[in-house]
């Protein structure tokens, strides 16, 4: 081999090595850590993806390695191809001011960012728990930014729909709800208690101070109207609420979905005119069987279906479908017109190390969503 050939071979080897490193960097294996372009696990949990221009933005909970509260805030990553993710830092930072709603040490969960075409602003909604108060505040937070990577400016946090009844409850329904009394039920889960929950017992209990809002998502419909879907009433009942045109407030129009059904982690998408809502049950960080609902209108009526998950997580301890492969959903986004289910495999000991799981949503012959395990992206 002469010198020129040796140089050529060396260049070729370098090229092959570079290409294989690049393709490795871009590959995400479900059930394993997902690295960003700095080689660090993507610390964006319970969040969503927003496409703006030709760039995808991934927002999520930036979690510390130890502890369950929020230290930094809400993270944002960017990508041109949904594979190589660049850490863009903290989009919404916690406050160092004592007593501030988002004081460092509060709990910020399930952030979702929307782009408002009319105002040209990026709007973030998230679940907020006040510092030192566990999960009792149950508020939704609003923040806004001119740029997708922030810095987002915190606007306020609140309970929702104080002194407002769901639009689909008539006078008789309201009268029945007003006759309930949550304080008298020392024992839950019996038929008589369930009946009262269906009547709106917790709605009535929280009427004055506003309804609780914990796990949440947002959805922008084809007409640009946005909706907030949240786990309310002690995580018993979902509320669907319409947002104002600027996405910075609620219009006051809302209704209940599956009262007493204990649905959390709501994820929604529309396919051929049908809205599909995929939720989890309420078992904290531990996985459970996903629930699925469909409706022809965002206001229901919602029909319940069996879980869409089938098979086992061959790449993650063979976790079964009835445990959602060990994960809990966070968002459904459309990748080239095809819905993808985004989920977290929580690691409650080290929340920052929680894994990401993205699975394509397929449809059976009847057009019902089916979610199977795939190894990688
Ligand atoms: C889960 C919920 C998470 C977090 C966790 C706390 O059920 O989906 O967002 O709130 O409980 O235990």
């Amino acid at each position: 081999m002469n010198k020129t050939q040796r140089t050529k071979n060396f260049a070729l080897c370098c090229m092959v090595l570079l290409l294989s490193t690049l393709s490795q960097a871009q590959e995400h294996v479900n059930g394993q850590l997902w690295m960003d372009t700095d080689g660090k696990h993507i610390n964006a949990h319970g969040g969503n993806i927003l496409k703006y221009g030709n760039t995808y933005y991934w927002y999520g909970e930036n979690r510390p390695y130890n502890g369950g509260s929020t230290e930094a805030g809400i993270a944002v990553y960017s990508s041109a191809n949904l594979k190589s993710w660049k850490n863009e830092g903290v989009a919404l930072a916690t406050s160092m001011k004592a007593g501030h709603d988002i004081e460092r040490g509060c709990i910020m969960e399930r952030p979702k960012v929307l782009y408002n075409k009319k105002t040209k602003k990026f709007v973030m909604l998230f679940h907020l728990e006040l510092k030192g108060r566990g999960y009792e505040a149950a508020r939704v937070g609003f923040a806004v930014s001119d740029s997708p990577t922030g810095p987002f400016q915190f606007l306020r946090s609140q309970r929702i729909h104080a002194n407002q009844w769901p639009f689909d409850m008539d006078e008789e329904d309201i009268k029945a709800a007003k006759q309930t009394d949550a304080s008298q039920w020392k024992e839950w889960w019996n038929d008589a208690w369930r009946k009262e929950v269906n009547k709106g017992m917790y709605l009535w209990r929280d009427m004055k101070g506003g309804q609780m809002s914990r796990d949440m998502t947002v959805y922008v419909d084809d007409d640009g109207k946005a909706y907030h879907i949240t786990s309310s009433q002690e995580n018993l009942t979902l509320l669907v609420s319409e947002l104002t045109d600027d996405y910075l407030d609620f219009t006051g129009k809302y209704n209940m979905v599956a009262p007493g059904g204990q649905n959390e982690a709501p994820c929604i998408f529309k396919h051929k005119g049908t809205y599909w809502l995929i939720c989890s049950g309420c078992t904290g960080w531990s996985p459970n069987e996903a629930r699925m609902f469909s409706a022809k209108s965002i206001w229901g009526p919602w029909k319940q279906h069996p879980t869409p998950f089938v098979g086992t997580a061959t790449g993650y301890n063979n976790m079964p479908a009835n445990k959602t492969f060990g994960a809990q959903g966070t968002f459904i986004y459309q990748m080239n017109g095809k819905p993808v289910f985004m989920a977290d495999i929580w690691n409650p000991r080290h929340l920052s190390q929680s894994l990401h799981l993205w699975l394509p949503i397929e449809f059976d012959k009847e057009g019902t969503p089916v979610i199977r395990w795939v190894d990688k992206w």
Side-chain angles (χ1 to χ4, degrees), residues 180-202 205 233-237 259-262:
T180 61
D181 179 5
S183 68
Q184 82 173 63
W185 294 93
K186 302 289 172 250
E187 287 195 12
W188 288 25
W189 310 118
N190 52 58
D191 287 350
W193 172 85
R194 273 184 199 284
K195 241 188 181 166
E196 300 299 284
V197 172
N198 281 328
K199 284 187 202 163
M201 175 161 68
Y202 292 100
R205 184 196 69 179
Q233 303 177 7
E234 308 292 350
N235 297 344
L236 288 164
T237 301
Q262 278 202 301

Side-chain angles (χ1 to χ4, degrees), residues 144-343:
V144 70
S145 168
D146 290 326
S147 141
T149 50
F152 278 77
Q153 185 202 337
F154 175 73
L155 296 177
R156 67 179 188 287
S157 75
Q158 60 169 108
R159 283 271 178 112
I160 64 177
H161 305 309
N163 300 310
Q164 287 169 343
W165 290 93
F167 78 92
D168 54 358
M169 281 177 78
D170 62 21
E171 264 177 45
E172 228 169 84
D173 296 333
I174 294 174
K175 202 171 145 200
K178 284 182 171 176
Q179 278 159 6
T180 61
D181 179 5
S183 68
Q184 82 173 63
W185 294 93
K186 302 289 172 250
E187 287 195 12
W188 288 25
W189 310 118
N190 52 58
D191 287 350
W193 172 85
R194 273 184 199 284
K195 241 188 181 166
E196 300 299 284
V197 172
N198 281 328
K199 284 187 202 163
M201 175 161 68
Y202 292 100
L203 200 61
W204 176 230
R205 184 196 69 179
D206 294 339
M207 189 49 61
K208 244 182 153 179
Q211 304 299 321
M212 303 172 90
S213 177
R214 289 203 183 113
D215 275 12
M216 51 141 279
T217 195
V218 291
Y219 176 71
V220 182
D221 215 333
D222 307 331
D223 59 3
K225 258 196 189 316
Y227 300 88
H228 172 251
I229 302 174
T230 193
S231 193
S232 187
Q233 303 177 7
E234 308 292 350
N235 297 344
L236 288 164
T237 301
L238 291 170
L239 301 184
V240 175
S241 308
E242 188 183 65
L243 296 178
T244 51
D245 284 351
D246 58 9
Y247 304 164
L248 294 175
D249 207 346
F250 296 92
T251 63
K253 182 174 181 181
Y254 78 105
N255 73 356
M256 299 195 274
V257 178
Q262 278 202 301
N263 292 293
E264 274 196 329
C267 301
I268 188 170
F269 73 108
K270 189 152 87 170
H271 182 73
K272 296 189 175 163
T274 299
Y275 296 83
W276 293 95
L277 182 60
I278 301 177
C279 304
S280 74
C282 293
T283 50
W285 302 118
S286 312
N288 54 53
E289 183 169 83
R291 294 94 183 272
M292 184 164 70
F293 302 85
S294 69
K296 286 286 175 198
S297 156
I298 193 98
W299 301 118
W302 293 91
K303 179 184 166 202
Q304 189 158 5
H305 302 262
T307 177
F309 289 81
V310 291
T312 58
T314 47
Y316 185 66
N317 304 330
N318 285 319
M319 286 294 281
N322 68 8
K323 290 273 186 261
T324 314
F325 302 151
Q328 187 182 32
T330 179
F331 194 68
I332 294 166
Y333 70 90
Q334 304 282 338
M335 192 193 272
N336 304 322
K338 293 205 170 130
V340 175
F341 184 79
M342 272 174 86

Side-chain angles (χ1 to χ4, degrees), residues 110-124:
R110 302 204 168 261
K112 304 286 175 290
V113 174
L114 302 166
Y115 176 65
N116 190 292
K117 284 187 188 148
K118 282 185 193 153
T119 61
K120 301 196 169 22
K121 303 261 183 204
F122 296 85
V123 178
M124 183 190 292

